[in-house]
Amino acid sequence: MHHDERADRPGSHGEHQVQRELGTVARADRFYDDQVLRRLNARMQEFVARQEMFFLATSDGHGECDSTFRAGPPGFLRVLDDATLAYPEYRGNGVMASLGNIRENPHIGILMIDFSQDRIGLHVNGRARLVTDDTMHRRIPDLPVDPVPGRRPHVWVEVEVEEAYIHCSKHIPRLVRAPLRQHTDGTDRSAADGEQAWGTDDPKRKGGDYFGAAARKRGIDSR
């Protein structure tokens, strides 16, 4: 039986075609068989629960792609069960590109990378839907309410896991976490003390016109 005829073989027709062209079918099959899961195993769930950031890929109904970044305190990407994740959408630039894409096309890709501890990554591909904050709190009564101003979810994104697999450490750089600033009494400063500009509408605190896009549109030299 030809490899592409395996009903349980992960991946797209396009990737299978390129595998044949480049002679990597056997290697790909080993990866599919050994590493691609349909559910999150216990180690994956533990990994997800301690992440403070992830990269998100979406596309609209025409296949036009967008990639972005999400961050929050450990556990903000919640494991609801071995086949379901959820994360809050905080206030951003108001464009709602990712949420708009999900409305048109529920397929999303999440990439989590541990740069500082284990230097390993986890891919999760699945189908997403939007859930109101009230609905999520009714479903999960012990869901914490974040005390940081501006970090209130507009909506939650619930993800039905379809694939979960490793991103190997071969090309992941090791990044060292910066130490937390401290108060004079020795206690750590938190985001609530202004360490991060969560939810701010102050242009300078958000990064301002760092790349000079707005200045160029206005005909101003930003150099």
Side-chain angles (χ1 to χ4, degrees):
M1 182 174 65
H2 195 279
H3 283 285
D4 279 357
E5 294 173 1
R6 279 178 45 184
D8 62 339
R9 192 170 194 256
S12 68
H13 173 73
E15 72 185 65
H16 299 164
Q17 185 178 43
V18 176
Q19 289 162 13
R20 292 195 300 273
E21 292 171 1
L22 299 183
T24 67
V25 172
R27 187 148 50 100
D29 275 339
R30 285 195 299 273
F31 183 84
Y32 292 153
D33 292 340
D34 293 346
Q35 296 295 338
V36 180
L37 305 183
R38 302 296 186 184
R39 295 288 187 271
L40 301 171
N41 65 21
R43 294 196 68 176
M44 289 176 172
Q45 292 180 48
E46 183 277 330
F47 183 87
V48 172
R50 61 183 169 85
Q51 298 310 302
E52 298 177 71
M53 62 180 181
F54 65 86
F55 302 93
L56 176 68
T58 61
S59 66
D60 65 18
H62 300 288
E64 298 291 337
C65 298
D66 185 75
S67 61
T68 190
F69 171 81
R70 293 290 181 266
F76 85 106
L77 178 59
R78 295 184 64 88
V79 178
L80 302 186
D81 55 50
D82 68 351
T84 317
L85 301 176
Y87 65 88
E89 279 284 348
Y90 301 123
R91 184 171 63 188
N93 58 16
V95 174
M96 305 297 176
S98 298
L99 297 183
N101 284 348
I102 290 169
R103 275 284 173 86
E104 294 187 24
N105 177 0
H107 297 285
I108 71 169
I110 290 174
L111 172 60
M112 294 156 272
I113 299 181
D114 178 349
F115 290 100
S116 61
Q117 183 174 326
D118 298 320
R119 283 181 54 246
I120 206 74
L122 175 65
H123 292 266
V124 174
N125 297 328
R127 296 177 65 88
R129 70 185 188 100
L130 309 187
V131 179
T132 67
D133 188 48
D134 288 343
T135 299
M136 189 61 71
H137 276 84
R138 283 197 299 270
R139 288 175 52 189
I140 309 173
D142 63 343
L143 194 66
V145 176
D146 201 308
V148 179
R151 202 156 63 190
R152 299 286 189 274
H154 280 301
V155 69
W156 288 75
V157 177
E158 186 174 281
V159 182
E160 177 188 348
V161 176
E162 295 180 331
E163 293 181 334
Y165 54 92
I166 192 172
H167 187 102
C168 72
S169 63
K170 183 176 181 181
H171 299 296
I172 297 177
R174 184 176 296 282
L175 305 180
V176 179
R177 295 176 63 94
L180 289 173
R181 299 178 186 176
Q182 292 188 327
H183 293 291
T184 54
D185 63 2
T187 59
D188 290 333
R189 290 182 61 184
S190 68
D193 296 315
E195 184 76 7
Q196 291 175 279
W198 285 106
T200 183
D201 286 320
D202 184 314
K204 290 185 178 179
R205 295 186 70 205
K206 290 192 297 183
D209 187 26
Y210 181 88
F211 292 105
R216 183 174 182 179
K217 287 185 176 182
R218 297 187 184 106
I220 302 170
D221 190 344
S222 62
R223 290 175 295 179

